[in-house]
Amino acid sequence: MVSTQDFPVISVTTVPPASVQTDLLCVPVFEGDSFADLAGLHHAAGRAIEQALAAGEFKTKLYELFITPLSGWGAPRLALIGAGPKAAFSTERLRRVATTAALAAKQRRVRRLALVLRGAGASASFIQASAEGLMLAAFNADTHKSADRTGPPAEEMIIVASGADATSSNAAVRRGWILGDSCNLARNLCNEPSNLLTPTIFAERAAEVGKAVGLAVDVLDQKKIEKLNMGLLMGIARGSAEPPRMIVLRHEPAGAPESPVLGLVGKGITFDTGGISIKPADGMERMKTDMSGGAAVIAAMRAIAMLNAPIKVIGVIPATENMPGGRAVKPGDVLTGASGKTVEVINTDAEGRLVLGDGLWYARQLGATHLVDVATLTGACVVALGKVASGLFGQPAAWSQVVERTALGAGDRVWPMPLYEEYIEQLRSDIADMTNTGGRPAGACTAAMFIKEFTGDLPWAHLDIAGTAWADEAKPWQAKGPTGVAVRTLAELAFTSSEW
């Protein structure tokens, strides 16, 4: 396919791996692999594979890498990548194998690479996952460095899928390219320092992205936000010299039914000091990523438009900073949302749920029939699930299960969390409808219960991505930094309406 930037370009070929003209041939290797489907590979590698396996130099562990020269094949070098047990191989594992291959190629400044799909890898789902994984390696976090920058991604990437159907393969590559590239868009937004991504600039970037792919764009400024009585968003914005924005992106394809309408709402706090309830200094620089949910919605809306999802989709991103200025909301203050609900602010660092309250209300006013919100919301969710899974809350169970299936298929790990009625008792206020925090016990659950109050009993799911939006350390399949979590889930969800 033709890319919308200079590189990388990804294509599919069905020629034998030995004939592929490329700089680096990448091959997944399973435990106990006999390479029966790759005749001549041992000979072309000069028996280096057998020797490495025998010596324990290469143990075929997951994402382990072994590179050796090739002779007589179209590629001068071979990269073997550990893929674990063959019985456990999946699209998610293949996606990671593909990223591992492309990151290794980037580190070595390889211009062309080819990834060999083996066994069932010729299916459209495996080809799409491969394209996504290859694209994810194109992200660079060091865009503001003046020197010693990471090498560029390979300019050309080839997926070698013997027996694949040409038409479905090309469509799968295009879909994977768009989803991977959209993830990288979200990662780029999350990586920007807050002085270069204020709420105003965030809205401008969202508008540019939306207009480029044919989305309808509406950005509400402070006057419009005030006119709509969005007191929760305005309450958090008061402490900042930067004005808030409410970003709205609409996908309204010709012939789409009036219902369902998917509403995606993303937390867009471009910097979070915690406000008057200020955070510790250690690690506060990471609070530039508190708009990861908003970035995911923007990037997903881009993918939804480019892939022409068959239903109407609305993206809503309430954007502001949370700062401890002289006009900032204080613990004990009472705010009134656009829905009319009143909230006693106990902790100003529990601001994300407040802006989401007005965002969810507005998505409902715009006609959403099904809701999903995404937010780096609670440290409690990180304590519960660590850095490997996002928390999933939702109602009713059928809708939550659709989101769960979609997320797992898209490669975004989620884990269902409870919404027991007893949690609402922790949000009782003596002077308002509720408080904005229920304290430490079940913190992720009480935060979700707070958000639930603004959904109007519509089918709704909440993704707490506090632990998954940022990778603290690099892995073979993941660069350190923003991950682009939830982008693929939200985009793919727009194609599941037959299950709703």
Side-chain angles (χ1 to χ4, degrees):
M1 63 168 287
V2 177
S3 129
T4 56
Q5 58 187 41
D6 291 337
F7 57 84
V9 175
I10 303 177
S11 60
V12 178
T13 184
T14 58
V15 303
S19 303
V20 178
Q21 300 297 313
T22 189
D23 298 328
L24 182 67
L25 185 70
C26 303
V27 177
V29 180
F30 304 108
E31 291 181 3
D33 208 323
S34 65
F35 300 96
D37 57 327
L38 294 168
L41 183 64
H42 281 298
H43 178 74
R47 303 295 176 182
I49 300 173
E50 294 170 316
Q51 294 169 7
L53 289 170
E57 181 183 354
F58 179 54
K59 299 179 180 179
T60 70
K61 291 182 179 179
L62 267 178
Y63 317 121
E64 182 186 6
L65 194 69
F66 175 73
I67 297 179
T68 188
L70 280 179
S71 176
W73 282 36
R77 285 189 293 173
L78 169 72
L80 300 180
I81 303 159
K86 191 170 185 179
F89 201 57
S90 62
T91 54
E92 170 57 7
R93 189 159 289 181
L94 174 58
R95 188 182 290 108
R96 291 185 174 189
V97 165
T99 307
T100 299
L103 285 173
K106 184 163 71 170
Q107 290 165 1
R108 293 160 177 79
R109 297 185 180 272
V110 171
R111 291 183 60 250
R112 299 180 302 165
L113 73 86
L115 175 67
V116 179
L117 304 191
R118 307 175 65 192
S123 68
S125 61
F126 271 58
I127 291 170
Q128 176 183 325
S130 300
E132 290 172 8
L134 294 171
M135 280 302 302
L136 291 174
F139 169 74
N140 281 340
D142 56 2
T143 53
H144 294 290
K145 283 190 175 184
S146 60
D148 299 323
R149 293 192 59 194
T150 305
E155 298 176 13
E156 180 185 0
M157 302 184 188
I158 303 167
I159 299 170
V160 185
S162 300
D165 173 74
T167 301
S168 62
S169 295
N170 289 333
V173 166
R174 180 178 182 273
R175 191 179 190 90
W177 193 101
I178 289 170
L179 290 169
D181 192 52
S182 295
C183 282
N184 290 342
L185 166 64
R187 296 164 83 185
N188 281 319
L189 287 170
C190 294
N191 200 51
E192 284 292 86
S194 63
N195 63 319
L196 301 181
L197 196 75
T198 63
T200 299
I201 297 173
F202 192 29
E204 290 172 352
R205 294 278 293 274
E208 290 173 4
V209 169
K211 291 175 181 176
V213 294
L215 294 169
V217 178
D218 187 18
V219 176
L220 280 61
D221 61 14
Q222 183 167 327
K223 289 183 178 179
K224 292 180 180 178
I225 292 169
E226 290 174 338
K227 188 174 181 180
L228 288 167
N229 298 314
M230 294 184 180
L232 303 182
L233 174 56
M234 281 307 308
I236 298 304
R238 276 192 342 224
S240 175
E242 295 288 343
R245 293 289 184 265
M246 181 67 83
I247 305 163
V248 180
L249 304 173
R250 291 188 183 89
H251 171 67
E252 300 172 324
E258 289 302 309
S259 181
V261 179
L262 179 61
L264 308 177
V265 182
K267 175 184 173 184
I269 304 294
T270 59
F271 195 81
D272 180 20
T273 66
I276 298 299
S277 307
I278 197 163
K279 294 176 181 291
D282 187 28
M284 194 192 285
E285 71 279 357
R286 276 271 312 281
M287 290 300 100
K288 69 177 185 177
T289 67
D290 213 21
M291 35 60 69
S292 296
V297 169
I298 292 167
M301 291 298 297
R302 171 188 187 257
I304 285 166
M306 294 179 73
L307 295 171
N308 195 27
I311 63 169
K312 293 182 179 180
V313 187
I314 303 167
V316 176
I317 304 98
T320 184
E321 293 180 337
N322 185 22
M323 301 289 284
R327 298 181 63 248
V329 65
K330 305 174 293 298
D333 287 357
V334 174
L335 303 177
T336 304
S339 65
K341 292 184 182 294
T342 58
V343 180
E344 180 185 6
V345 178
I346 302 299
N347 187 330
T348 66
D349 194 23
E351 86 297 332
R353 64 200 71 182
L354 293 169
V355 303
L356 287 173
D358 277 340
L360 286 161
W361 172 86
Y362 197 49
R364 288 166 50 206
Q365 304 311 301
L366 296 174
T369 63
H370 294 69
L371 297 168
V372 181
D373 76 79
V374 188
T376 46
L377 206 68
T378 65
C381 197
V382 186
V383 172
L385 299 175
K387 307 284 291 183
V388 299
S390 303
L392 169 63
F393 303 80
Q395 64 172 21
W399 174 241
S400 184
Q401 288 163 6
V402 168
V403 177
E404 181 182 8
R405 286 196 300 271
T406 304
L408 296 178
D412 288 326
R413 287 180 180 164
V414 298
W415 191 258
M417 300 283 280
L419 286 171
Y420 298 133
E421 292 180 2
E422 288 85 348
Y423 291 136
I424 199 68
E425 298 298 324
Q426 294 177 229
L427 300 173
R428 296 299 181 196
S429 168
D430 293 332
I431 63 171
D433 293 330
M434 55 185 167
T435 60
N436 75 322
T437 177
R440 291 177 61 85
C445 300
T446 56
M449 287 298 286
F450 179 94
I451 294 170
K452 179 178 177 288
E453 292 296 304
F454 298 89
T455 63
D457 293 325
L458 291 180
W460 155 76
H462 161 59
L463 294 172
D464 191 332
I465 60 171
T468 53
W470 184 274
D472 290 323
E473 58 184 21
K475 297 184 183 297
W477 46 267
Q478 170 71 65
K480 179 181 179 180
T483 63
V485 67
V487 172
R488 298 190 302 271
T489 296
L490 299 181
E492 294 285 17
L493 198 57
F495 293 87
T496 65
S497 59
S498 61
E499 302 176 39
W500 301 1

